Amino acid sequence: MIKKIVFGAVIFCVFLACKKDEATSNFTKVTSVKSYTYKELKPLLEQKNDITYIVNFWATWCAPCVKELPAFEKISKNYKDKKVEVLLVSLDFPKQIEKKLIPFINTKKLQSKVVVLDDVHEDFWIKDIDSTWSGAIPVTIIYNAKKRTFYDKSFDYETLESELKTYLKL
């Protein structure tokens, strides 16, 4: 009887371990993050094709930014087959990419594309991205070939999805 209980417990543990591996098997550990100057990043903010882009400006040191990241990850996962792409533009300090940003990406298992904006001319690029942007984060741009909106606010999943759906109906 004890052998059956032990055997059952072992099988149960193996089953749980397999389920966990399935959930994390899609994540590939990040070892580097591409840095862009604003001049290099700008074409990613102005693409004219049949894809709807969600571009979020954030940083690991920004609590509201970190809080909303799961909404972007869920959108990326749920809309990957609907021509929607999420780009997470980190404004973390370049010296902290190795020690802070990469470990953060791996700990949170971020699946969306993450890049770093490394450009000291923020007085120019902030206003070029949107003339109303104060420079505070988080901010998000949702755009496609027909429409573009700048959002100076945090998102939860439901609000982000609602906004995205207005683009997918165009």
Side-chain angles (χ1 to χ4, degrees), residues 43-59:
L44 300 178
L45 307 177
E46 301 174 338
Q47 300 181 75
K48 304 286 187 208
N49 52 39
D50 62 346
I51 297 172
T52 297
Y53 295 92
I54 301 173
V55 183
N56 178 254
F57 291 83
W58 69 289

Side-chain angles (χ1 to χ4, degrees), residues 64-140:
C65 300
V66 172
K67 182 179 179 184
E68 72 177 359
L69 282 175
F72 291 95
E73 287 294 285
K74 189 172 177 182
I75 286 287
S76 183
K77 179 183 175 192
N78 292 347
Y79 286 84
K80 68 181 177 185
D81 298 330
K82 295 178 175 58
K83 296 187 178 185
V84 173
E85 289 186 18
V86 173
L87 176 63
L88 302 174
V89 180
S90 171
L91 299 180
D92 280 279
F93 305 113
K95 292 179 182 177
Q96 295 184 332
I97 292 172
E98 296 291 325
K99 291 182 179 177
K100 194 162 186 183
L101 180 60
I102 291 173
F104 179 90
I105 293 168
N106 288 325
T107 299
K108 300 292 185 181
K109 294 184 174 27
L110 298 181
Q111 301 285 327
S112 300
K113 182 177 180 180
V114 178
V115 300
V116 174
L117 177 54
D118 182 8
D119 193 317
V120 296
H121 304 290
E122 59 272 342
D123 289 340
F124 172 75
W125 57 259
I126 287 171
K127 293 301 178 195
D128 195 58
I129 289 171
D130 190 272
S131 63
T132 65
W133 187 12
S134 69
I137 54 175
V139 297
T140 302

